[in-house]
Amino acid sequence: MVFPSEPEFEQALHELTTSLEPFLAANPHYKKALDVVQVPERVLQFRVVWEDDQGIPQVNRGFRVQYNSALGPYKGGLRLHPSVNLSILKFLGFEQTFKNALTGLSMGGGKGGSDFDPKGKSDSEIRRFCNAFMLELYRHIGKDTDVPAGDIGTGAREIGFLFGAYKKLRNEFTGMLTGKGLNWGGSFIRPEATGYGVIYYVEHMIAKACPEYSLTLPSTLVAISGSGNVAQFTALKVIELGATVVSLSDSRGSLIAEKGYTKEFIQEIGQLKLKGGSLESLADRSGYTYHAGKRPWTLLPTVHIALPGATQNEVSKEEAEALVAAGVRIVAEGSNMGCTEAAIAVFEASRKANPKGVWYAPGKASNCGGVAVSGLEMAQNSQRLAWSTEEVDAKLKSIMTECFKICYSAGGKWSGEELKEGTLPSLLSGANVAGFIKVADAMKEQGDWW
């Protein structure tokens, strides 16, 4: 059967399939589970017509991919970006299914969004779009069915408008979205969760692989890409711990810090990004150098920890080689599928060849903190309670610790490598195999394959 080309989804599927080869060779009956799990349970596509400030109707495409509900209600963000298409949302929903499994919480996988671009739109236009989008989506979601969240282009403002529209349409106040405002069912630490979670995961990697590059040391140089929610809070946590953040970036270029970013400057960037601004406007800041049209990876002579935090496929093979040459020891994705397959091959070859090589963590493991706290938000909503910042942060730390242990253990068992003394296991294999087994077993028990 011939299907349309879906490059991002095919890349995610190929990565998982390749990682599973040693496991499937030893457990061939699971091959049927792989055949079944790669097909989404449901794909929704719909028209969204909204009115701009000139009174002219505009049309966009809306999507929701309800990928897998073996472990719980579909759970995953809504992305608002001109690049959104079915391939990207299928890849994200597929990854989300296994990422959610690694959190240990009761959440299935899904993803949705629209090719609507919130940049350059007024608040009124965004509200009218959200109302029109929810006018169709509300039929397909609910607290026990499908619980969307924010993503690229969908921040606190958009979540508020979407929640308000759902509440009016269904006449019920229920936790059917996460990322809500603190006064109306949101959770402490949710905005910070993905970025903080990346660092909690990376701390375990550093302890095993290179304690000399502890994040408590100002001499540890950390390169971060992106400047949205994930990158900002990743950087703030690094600075809080004591290490030095040397880069941030956006779609137009990179801003490299000669002596490291400060907490105040990152907060200023956060305000700039809320207004739709670009790092380009900060190019003349003393102590910072702006590089138009470039990502940070080739711009740094020395870097110890690299954390892609922008979007998919943002580290190429050449950029991976530049990072290896710059002395990088840890690469952990804050973004989903942040590294190309060729870049991952460079990192994995470095790990196998050299005890002081690069240790790579895929986004489905290292960035699962965001959806983990979304799951904790759902739990708080179900109980009609709000936990303190300290409680949520402690639970997030515990989830990231458990996720690391699962990936480390499964990587050692199922990577298909003869691990020499001092060689670290593949966290890529570990994350993929551990997530897959959990989802596949639940599906089998529920009669989805046999």
Side-chain angles (χ1 to χ4, degrees), residues 217-233:
L217 301 171
S219 56
T220 299
L221 304 180
V222 182
I224 299 171
S225 66
S227 50
N229 173 289
V230 175
Q232 288 168 34
F233 287 112

Side-chain angles (χ1 to χ4, degrees), residues 99-289:
K99 178 193 299 191
N100 293 358
L102 291 171
T103 67
L105 302 173
S106 296
M107 297 182 290
K111 204 76 182 189
S114 172
D115 56 4
F116 171 81
D117 188 359
K119 278 187 183 170
K121 305 288 192 299
S122 69
D123 280 6
S124 298
E125 287 176 322
I126 289 170
R127 186 183 68 250
R128 288 194 290 270
F129 169 82
C130 289
N131 286 341
F133 184 76
M134 189 53 80
L135 198 54
E136 175 58 33
L137 187 66
Y138 87 97
R139 307 163 204 278
H140 310 288
I141 62 173
K143 66 182 174 66
D144 298 317
T145 308
D146 183 352
V147 184
D151 195 78
I152 293 171
T154 309
R157 171 183 56 181
E158 290 77 14
I159 290 290
F161 291 154
L162 290 164
F163 183 86
Y166 182 93
K167 184 159 63 79
K168 291 184 188 83
L169 288 161
R170 295 299 286 259
N171 192 30
E172 62 180 24
F173 188 107
T174 178
M176 40 51 75
L177 279 172
T178 55
K180 299 185 292 299
L182 283 174
N183 293 329
W184 43 279
S187 175
F188 285 112
I189 303 285
R190 179 59 195 94
E192 300 91 336
T194 308
Y196 281 17
V198 170
I199 297 307
Y200 296 154
Y201 194 95
V202 163
E203 284 183 306
H204 290 290
M205 294 175 74
I206 291 170
K208 290 266 187 210
C210 50
E212 67 274 22
Y213 295 125
S214 163
L215 292 176
T216 59
L217 301 171
S219 56
T220 299
L221 304 180
V222 182
I224 299 171
S225 66
S227 50
N229 173 289
V230 175
Q232 288 168 34
F233 287 112
T234 303
L236 287 170
K237 181 54 81 172
V238 170
I239 291 165
E240 179 192 317
L241 291 169
T244 302
V245 174
V246 292
S247 69
L248 289 176
S249 67
D250 62 18
S251 56
R252 294 188 186 174
S254 298
L255 195 60
I256 306 298
E258 288 156 29
K259 294 184 179 170
Y261 276 80
T262 63
K263 176 182 170 185
E264 294 71 26
F265 193 41
I266 287 169
Q267 288 168 337
E268 186 183 329
I269 288 169
Q271 291 306 307
L272 174 75
K273 286 290 162 186
L274 277 179
K275 296 174 193 151
S278 161
L279 295 180
E280 203 171 9
S281 63
L282 305 171
D284 56 355
R285 282 300 172 93
S286 168
Y288 296 86
T289 310

Side-chain angles (χ1 to χ4, degrees), residues 352-420:
K352 291 175 196 171
N354 182 356
K356 291 189 183 271
V358 181
W359 205 14
Y360 162 77
K364 65 170 66 72
S366 52
N367 77 30
C368 75
V371 75
V373 174
S374 274
L376 298 178
E377 183 176 327
M378 289 162 69
Q380 292 169 79
N381 292 167
S382 296
Q383 295 176 309
R384 297 283 197 272
L385 291 174
W387 299 333
S388 68
T389 302
E390 293 73 24
E391 280 180 280
V392 178
D393 198 31
K395 284 180 165 69
L396 171 61
K397 264 189 184 155
S398 167
I399 287 167
M400 298 313 294
T401 299
E402 201 52 40
C403 177
F404 174 80
K405 286 179 182 170
I406 290 166
C407 297
Y408 188 85
S409 167
K413 190 174 179 185
W414 293 116
S415 61
E417 300 168 20
E418 288 289 326
L419 289 178
K420 300 192 279 288

